[in-house]
Structure formats: structure tokens, C-alpha cells
Amino acid sequence: MSRLYKTIEPSVINDEMLEEAVKKQGPTGRAGQIAQLEGIDFKDVHHLQLDYRNILKIDNLWQFKILTKLQLDNNVIEKIEGLNTLTNLVWLDLSFNNIEMIEGLDELVKLEDLSLYSNRISNIENMDLLVNLQIFSIGKNHISNLETIIYLRRFKKLRTLNLAGNPVCEDERYSMYIPAFLPNLMYLDFRLIDKTTKEMALEMHRSAVANLVYHEDVAFKKLEKNRLQEEELALHKAAYVEYLNGPGLFNTMFTEDLEARKLLLLPGVPEFVEIYKVEFTDICQKLFEYGLKGYDNREKELEHFLECLGEAIEDNQQRGVKVIKEFEDKNKEHFNEIQHITESQVLESRIRYFREEIDQLWSKLMNLEMQLVDQLEESTREFERNISEMVSTYIENVQALIAQCRDLENHHNENMLEIAMSSYDKMGKNEGEEEMPEELRALFIDKDTVINTVNASHDLHLLKIDNQEDKMVTRANGWVTDMIEKLHTDEINRNRKRVLEIYTYVSHWRDELDFLELQDMS
């Protein structure tokens, strides 16, 4: 296959080009004629061939929702773009183009076969999410660095690789380097890598491979640790208790408190604050554990409700299916007979009877739907009462624990004020003044300054505690409000969809009868 040289102006992918390609690839014969008349919906197309069309830019493919195979070879494409909506793509051919960089493939997580043969690419990169990649052809490009190939180790399913025609192939280490560092590879440059070659390659590069495996393992463990930490933090945030399983709240109270830093210089205060920290952190830990338990209880309650909801809807749907089946079993044969009746009066009578049957069908299906609406409404009201009561109890207990934090802070403030005033009195008697740091001595200008300093620290601490309470209460109440609103919205949408389904089905039968009446009149 050779490159198609530019002989005409570069083109863009437009609807006309797509329609032409889809029709050309569509069915033939009678099926093809029908497809030509009725048209083929782009969203139903699985394979699309757009090779040799002088395409410069990939665009306008968003309509191909289930496309699995896309052929764009032998064009003049300069950039990989416009593919982010093709999430079902399994096979992609971009060979014989003018692409300089691998990019724009992040959404193609199902891709198994990728060809970038004969382009201008100098580095293998930006493919991290292609975890299902099995065949990769990137021959006849500008890849010159042998170490670049190590990037492909992340693709555990990669079995076939083509690099032929790249400068890197001229490296004398090439033939043994690739099998050593890509041990899962079965075919390289269209040739099977035999067992002997793999063993020789591994022995030749044993030390380097072992070192690489070690560092990969370290990196993997670090990533896994970070992933677990992120998942844990996400859970804590969902439970409104992030950073409460330790001295996090306490630390924020003091790290942002400039006055407290100065007061820590007073004799005996550091030891006293450490005791306060332990007691405060113990309450936060209780708050943390209670928050996680509350989150788990809410999730279980919601899961149970949704499960019951699903069962009720499924049961109602099955009853509806039964009603429709009984109608069709009873009336399909009658309807077929009606189509062959030629006497007007008989036909009119049978049509009238059939319309009554359809009206009864409509009534039965709508009654079923109204029964379901009433059932779901009652269940939802009960769930709302349960979950609201659950959250109210949760908030009361949270506020009780937060109140304990406030009590500790108030007690701490009283002790701090006592220590500060004691130090002030000693200064008035010239006791220990020589030992007091200069920045602390400035606080003891007068009695009001001492009291204001201690109270300013106290106010900041109380603000942090209040903010923590507000955050937990507001988010819990917000969760209930949003969740209940979503339940009502989902039910409205479900009901509308179901009524439309019933209407569409019944209208089909009514339209059939209308057609028969028109035929009879003519």
C-alpha cells in the first residue's frame, strides 16, 4: 500500500461524504434498495471506511455512536482529533497520513487494533488509557530512541507490534532489546518471536530488566497507595467527616491562630495544650466513626428503597405485558379476519367491537400505571419520613459531639486566661520578667491587652468548631433535599415515559382501524 499523493485540495468530513460512504458500504440487492429509500441512520453504523479521500481534518463523526471500526488511511490528516465520542471503537487505521504526534485517543478505551503506519511520529506517548490494545502498528515513522519502546510495557495485552521502517530498527541492540523488555509480545515486525529468542534476549538484558521491574513495582505500589488514599478520602467526604480521624480540626484551630503561638511561650502552656489536643482529637475520632456509621446506614436505607422500587416497577411491567399478550392472543386473529371483510355493515360492526377492545386495553394499562404511581408515591412518602428522621437523629448526635468540642475549648480558654493573668500579675511584681521572650512581653502591656489576646484566640477556635458543625449539618440536610428531589424527578420522567409507551402502542392499533375504515369508504 502506498501513500496517496495530494492531487486535489484537501477535503473535510461532511454529511455528504459520510452518506456516500455509508451507502457504499451498506447492503446490496433488494435490501440495499430499501436502505437507499429509507436511509441509514449513522448511529446504527458499525464500520466506516473513509480511506483515499484527501481528508485533512477528522471531524463530524459524533453521530456514529456504536462505530467499532474506522478506516482513515491514505489521507492527509495532520492531527489525531475528533474521535472522543467514538467510545466503542475497537479497530482504527490512521496509516499513510501526515500525523506528527500521538494524541486524542484517551476516550478509546476499547481499542484493540491501532495502525499509525507511515506517518511522521517520533515518540510513542499519550496512550495510557488504551488498556485493551493488542495490535499496534507504528512502522515507517521517525522513532529513533530505543528506550521509547519501554513505554509499551504498560499494555499487558499487547501481542503484535510493528516498528519496521523506523530509524530505531537500525540500532544493533534492537532485535534482542524488544523481546527482553516486552516479554508478552508474540509478533514483532510480522515475525513470530520464538521461545529461544526470548530466553536469549532476557539473559542478555537480565540486570536492566530486573532493575526496571523493581522500579515499576515501587511506582505501582505508590500509585496504588495514592489510589486507596483518594478512595478513602472520597468516602470520608461523602460521610462529611474528612480529616476528623486525627488532629486535623485541632491543628487548623492552632496553625491559623497567631495569638495562640505567642501564648504557647507562657510557662506550662505547651503541656496543657498537648492534653487539650488529645482530648479534643478523641472527640473528633468519635465524630468520625459516627459519621461513617451514619453514612453507611443512609446508603443501606436508600439501597433497600431503590431495590423495592425496582421490584414494584418490574412487577407492574410484567402485569402490563400480560395484559397486552392477552389482548393480542384474543384479537390478532380477529383483526386479520377484519382485513378480509368486504361487507360494509359487518366491517363497521367488527371495527366498532375492536375499538371497544382497544379502549379497554387503554383503560387496563392506564389503571395499572395509576396503581403503580399510587404505590410508589406511598412508598416514597414512607421513605422520606424514615430518611428524614434518620438524618435528624444523625444531626442531633453530631451537634452533641460538637458541643463537647466547644465545652473543651471553653475550659481551655478559662485555663489559658488564668495562666495569662497569673503571668501578668507576676510581671507586675517583676517576677520572671527577665525569662519572658520579647514577643510575649509585648502582650503584657496592660490587663485588657492580655484578656483580648486570649479571647481572640478563643473566638478563632470557636469559629473553626462552628464551621465544622455547619458543614456537616448543611451537607446532611442538602443530601436529603437533593436525593428526594431526584426521586420525584425520576418518577415523573418514568411515568411520562410509560404513558407515552402505552399511548404509542394503543395508537398503533387505532391507526390500523382508521386505515381500514378509510379503505372501506373509498
Side-chain angles (χ1 to χ4, degrees):
M1 188 181 291
S2 60
R3 181 182 297 278
L4 176 67
Y5 290 96
K6 193 189 307 182
T7 58
I8 56 175
E9 285 296 315
S11 59
V12 296
I13 302 176
N14 52 41
D15 286 345
E16 184 179 350
M17 179 188 293
L18 293 173
E19 287 176 7
E20 179 191 344
V22 170
K23 288 178 181 178
K24 184 178 180 181
Q25 299 163 209
T28 59
R30 177 60 180 163
Q33 293 173 2
I34 295 173
Q36 292 280 351
L37 291 172
E38 297 183 353
I40 301 176
D41 198 329
F42 289 171
K43 66 179 176 59
D44 297 327
V45 175
H46 288 268
H47 300 165
L48 184 61
Q49 186 174 340
L50 294 171
D51 55 337
Y52 292 97
R53 292 176 184 267
N54 216 40
I55 296 169
L56 177 64
K57 182 179 180 181
I58 306 172
D59 197 9
N60 205 30
L61 296 176
W62 58 271
Q63 301 172 79
F64 295 85
K65 301 294 184 182
I66 62 171
L67 195 69
T68 58
K69 182 175 180 179
L70 177 59
Q71 191 169 340
L72 283 164
D73 61 277
N74 287 279
N75 285 292
V76 288
I77 298 167
E78 297 178 349
K79 184 177 181 180
I80 304 175
E81 58 186 341
L83 302 175
N84 57 304
T85 59
L86 307 182
T87 54
N88 290 299
L89 216 55
V90 174
W91 189 94
L92 175 61
D93 187 356
L94 285 165
S95 56
F96 296 100
N97 279 286
N98 298 324
I99 299 167
E100 296 183 357
M101 180 180 180
I102 301 176
E103 58 186 333
L105 301 174
D106 290 349
E107 304 299 325
L108 309 186
V109 295
K110 295 183 181 179
L111 202 63
E112 297 177 3
D113 190 326
L114 173 62
S115 178
L116 295 168
Y117 186 83
S118 190
N119 277 280
R120 302 173 182 178
I121 299 167
S122 57
N123 193 24
I124 302 175
E125 58 187 345
N126 301 324
M127 298 168 55
D128 295 30
L129 301 180
L130 305 187
V131 294
N132 291 299
L133 192 64
Q134 299 177 24
I135 301 172
F136 184 37
S137 177
I138 193 167
K140 203 175 179 184
N141 274 275
H142 299 166
I143 297 169
S144 58
N145 186 353
L146 194 57
E147 282 69 27
T148 300
I149 311 304
I150 291 177
Y151 177 85
L152 297 175
R153 284 176 62 84
R154 69 195 65 210
F155 305 113
K156 304 304 180 184
K157 297 181 180 180
L158 186 64
R159 296 294 179 267
T160 301
L161 174 65
N162 173 30
L163 285 161
N166 281 285
V168 70
C169 299
E170 299 174 10
D171 191 313
E172 60 182 15
R173 299 172 296 164
Y174 176 78
S175 60
M176 288 294 157
Y177 188 93
I178 304 297
F181 285 90
L182 299 178
N184 294 328
L185 209 61
M186 296 179 63
Y187 296 91
L188 174 61
D189 301 339
F190 310 108
R191 293 182 180 179
L192 177 68
I193 306 174
D194 58 61
K195 183 178 177 181
T196 303
T197 300
K198 287 187 176 183
E199 291 174 350
M200 290 175 59
L202 184 60
E203 183 63 32
M204 186 178 297
H205 297 278
R206 183 175 297 279
S207 177
V209 171
N211 185 54
L212 179 60
V213 169
Y214 168 76
H215 285 96
E216 285 177 341
D217 186 53
V218 170
F220 173 77
K221 288 179 179 178
K222 184 178 179 181
L223 287 173
E224 186 66 10
K225 181 181 178 181
N226 291 338
R227 184 186 67 80
L228 292 174
Q229 288 176 343
E230 288 174 1
E231 287 182 358
E232 186 178 48
L233 180 58
L235 171 62
H236 296 172
K237 286 182 176 179
Y240 327 131
V241 294
E242 61 268 32
Y243 310 119
L244 288 179
N245 57 330
L249 178 57
F250 183 89
N251 290 341
T252 61
M253 288 163 48
F254 278 82
T255 53
E256 299 176 22
D257 185 359
L258 299 178
E259 306 300 341
R261 295 181 191 177
K262 298 173 184 177
L263 294 171
L264 280 170
L265 298 172
L266 287 171
V269 169
E271 295 80 6
F272 174 70
V273 170
E274 189 59 34
I275 294 173
Y276 175 37
K277 180 179 181 179
V278 171
E279 293 175 342
F280 191 93
T281 301
D282 181 59
I283 296 175
C284 287
Q285 183 65 36
K286 293 177 181 177
L287 192 60
F288 171 79
E289 291 170 0
Y290 180 72
L292 286 181
K293 183 179 179 181
Y295 169 77
D296 187 54
N297 289 339
R298 292 192 299 275
E299 288 297 304
K300 285 180 179 178
E301 184 73 15
L302 178 59
E303 183 181 352
H304 175 68
F305 169 71
L306 293 177
E307 185 178 334
C308 293
L309 210 66
E311 289 175 357
I313 293 171
E314 176 64 23
D315 177 66
N316 188 274
Q317 286 177 341
Q318 291 304 317
R319 290 164 66 189
V321 168
K322 183 179 179 181
V323 168
I324 290 174
K325 187 176 187 305
E326 288 174 351
F327 170 82
E328 291 183 349
D329 290 345
K330 178 182 177 182
N331 294 296
K332 267 196 172 181
E333 186 176 340
H334 294 315
F335 182 76
N336 291 333
E337 291 175 0
I338 289 174
Q339 296 180 75
H340 298 92
I341 295 175
T342 56
E343 189 175 339
S344 296
Q345 288 186 346
V346 177
L347 179 60
E348 183 180 341
S349 174
R350 297 295 292 275
I351 288 177
R352 190 183 312 114
Y353 166 80
F354 208 88
R355 285 196 187 280
E356 291 173 358
E357 290 288 302
I358 293 174
D359 290 342
Q360 288 180 22
L361 172 66
W362 167 265
S363 296
K364 288 179 181 178
L365 292 175
M366 288 303 296
N367 283 336
L368 277 176
E369 176 57 21
M370 291 310 299
Q371 289 172 19
L372 179 61
V373 168
D374 291 341
Q375 181 184 355
L376 297 185
E377 185 176 347
E378 183 179 347
S379 298
T380 302
R381 277 200 301 266
E382 183 180 355
F383 170 73
E384 286 180 23
R385 286 194 296 269
N386 292 341
I387 202 71
S388 296
E389 183 179 341
M390 182 181 292
V391 170
S392 294
T393 302
Y394 164 82
I395 289 174
E396 288 174 7
N397 290 329
V398 164
Q399 290 174 327
L401 288 168
I402 292 288
Q404 292 181 33
C405 291
R406 271 195 209 91
D407 290 341
L408 270 181
E409 171 55 30
N410 289 332
H411 180 65
H412 169 73
N413 179 64
E414 291 171 1
N415 288 332
M416 285 298 301
L417 190 58
E418 183 179 338
I419 293 172
M421 293 309 299
S422 175
S423 298
Y424 176 76
D425 291 340
K426 287 181 180 179
M427 282 190 65
K429 298 175 184 178
N430 295 322
E431 297 178 10
E433 185 176 354
E434 301 80 6
E435 303 171 3
M436 188 172 292
E438 185 63 33
E439 56 184 315
L440 184 58
R441 192 179 296 123
L443 295 178
F444 291 86
I445 299 173
D446 54 48
K447 188 174 183 179
D448 288 342
T449 303
V450 174
I451 294 174
N452 290 338
T453 299
V454 174
N455 286 340
S457 175
H458 177 52
D459 290 342
L460 180 60
H461 295 179
L462 287 178
L463 179 63
K464 290 291 183 182
I465 295 171
D466 290 344
N467 287 343
Q468 180 65 40
E469 180 182 21
D470 289 343
K471 181 175 68 173
M472 297 183 74
V473 171
T474 301
R475 287 163 70 182
N477 283 326
W479 177 81
V480 172
T481 301
D482 292 344
M483 183 265 300
I484 291 175
E485 182 180 348
K486 184 178 185 302
L487 287 176
H488 285 296
T489 301
D490 289 348
E491 169 54 15
I492 290 171
N493 292 335
R494 184 209 64 78
N495 173 249
R496 287 175 178 171
K497 182 181 178 182
R498 179 55 179 164
V499 171
L500 179 61
E501 288 173 354
I502 295 172
Y503 174 80
T504 302
Y505 180 77
V506 172
S507 293
H508 161 72
W509 286 105
R510 287 174 173 159
D511 290 343
E512 292 287 343
L513 290 181
D514 289 343
F515 179 72
L516 287 176
E517 283 187 326
L518 287 173
Q519 278 190 325
D520 181 52
M521 291 172 61
S522 62

